[in-house]
Amino acid sequence: MSTDIQTSAKVIADRAPGFKPAVGMVLGSGLGPFADTIENRIVISYDDLPGFPKPGVAGHAGQLVLGTVGGTAVAVMQGREHFYETGKADAMKTPVRTLQAIGCETLVVTNAAGSTVEAAGPGSVMMITDHIAFTGQSPLFGEEGNDRFVDLSQAYDADHQTALRGIAKAKNIAMAEGTYMWFCGPHFETPAEIKMSQIMGASAVGMSTVPEVILARHIGMRVAALSIITNLAAGMSEVKLSHEQTMTMAAKAADDVQGLLTDFLSNY
Ligand code: HPA
């Protein structure tokens, strides 16, 4: 285990003695307020956790929030590092491995994404059931050993998907499902790239999530992932794409995702 993981795990153990979260979470753009719903909160700045990101994107707080939601102990990352910040796909390696080291068996990943499906417009929620790593990058470049050849044929946990489907139905949330295609960013896609992504089978496009999912699967964590659809992807509408628009729409659509997450954790 790298020293950063050991040190970060120790900082967490010192601040929250005996605390053992079952679920780790990464909150994407617009979902930061979910962390306010956590009970018995202990907040640790990423500055105190070696190997954790220095978030450079507006809308990402940069802290780990420990506590409980519906009785389930959680460790919630309010902010992530993206591939486009440094060109390193393994930026989230220490955080994901630290979450496992302190006890998390599941990683729930959230993001803001553009939709390539007309029917799933801004404000809708999509459960990710599969992904395409279109960047051609892996967070596991440089890893050694046979377990680096990770089987991703069921990257998104089937039982977690069933649970989320049931919750969406019970809460009357029209949750879409589909394949998330990871583009490098930070620029948005072109209309031609979006046409390609549709042909390739993507339902949503975005600039995050896939590295964390691969890192989590590599160490045997179970994964669930939700996208907040903030826009129709490039070329599909007249709306100009911008980070400001992503943030505004993500905040508007966050309620449904927060409801899904709260019930998912309460039933965990
Ligand atoms: N493309 C990539 N990332 C995004 C988008 C998009 O259209 N919307 C929100 N994040």
Side-chain angles (χ1 to χ4, degrees):
M1 210 192 281
S2 94
T3 25
D4 277 355
I5 300 166
Q6 281 165 328
T7 311
S8 289
K10 180 159 185 338
V11 170
I12 296 166
D14 287 346
R15 299 269 190 101
F19 181 76
K20 188 169 182 287
V23 178
M25 296 179 63
V26 181
L27 298 181
S29 297
L31 272 171
F34 177 76
D36 301 334
T37 70
I38 297 169
E39 291 153 7
N40 313 309
R41 290 154 53 90
I42 295 173
V43 180
I44 306 176
S45 164
Y46 290 170
D47 289 337
D48 299 335
L49 298 169
F52 275 60
K54 308 271 167 284
V57 181
H60 289 273
Q63 57 191 21
L64 182 69
V65 183
L66 311 172
T68 54
V69 176
T72 297
V74 291
V76 177
M77 290 189 64
Q78 225 177 345
R80 59 153 61 83
E81 186 167 322
H82 302 80
F83 172 63
Y84 60 71
E85 293 174 63
T86 58
K88 295 195 183 101
D90 67 353
M92 292 289 282
K93 191 181 278 183
T94 296
V96 170
R97 291 183 183 177
T98 302
L99 290 176
Q100 189 194 47
I102 62 173
C104 299
E105 58 196 28
T106 286
L107 185 69
V108 178
V109 193
T110 63
N111 62 40
S115 174
T116 63
V117 179
E118 297 275 358
S124 51
V125 180
M126 188 187 95
M127 176 169 72
I128 302 178
T129 55
D130 203 349
H131 73 230
I132 300 172
F134 190 65
T135 59
Q137 301 287 320
S138 172
L140 302 178
F141 287 158
E143 286 291 321
E144 294 176 354
N146 283 350
D147 61 0
R148 75 185 125 164
F149 302 107
V150 185
D151 179 2
L152 294 176
S153 46
Q154 293 220 326
Y156 300 83
D157 189 87
D159 290 340
H160 288 345
Q161 287 187 44
T162 305
L164 284 165
R165 251 176 232 123
I167 294 163
K169 194 155 182 246
K171 291 181 99 68
N172 219 1
I173 295 170
M175 183 178 76
E177 296 185 18
T179 297
Y180 174 92
M181 192 161 185
W182 175 35
F183 281 85
C184 72
H187 53 276
F188 286 102
E189 300 73 29
T190 63
E193 286 165 345
I194 293 307
K195 267 192 210 131
M196 171 200 69
S197 71
Q198 290 166 328
I199 292 165
M200 288 177 143
S203 300
V205 293
M207 309 175 191
S208 68
T209 300
V210 168
E212 293 102 295
V213 170
I214 296 171
L215 287 164
R217 291 304 302 141
H218 177 230
I219 54 176
M221 295 177 84
R222 299 168 70 192
V223 169
L226 293 171
S227 291
I228 294 183
I229 301 299
T230 54
N231 55 283
L232 287 173
M236 294 175 68
S237 88
E238 298 300 311
V239 181
K240 188 172 165 335
L241 300 184
S242 69
H243 188 59
E244 291 69 30
Q245 194 238 4
T246 298
M247 291 306 300
T248 309
M249 284 313 302
K252 284 194 183 138
D255 276 1
D256 279 348
V257 175
Q258 296 203 28
L260 289 168
L261 293 174
T262 302
D263 283 19
F264 178 80
L265 293 170
S266 304
N267 300 343
Y268 192 84

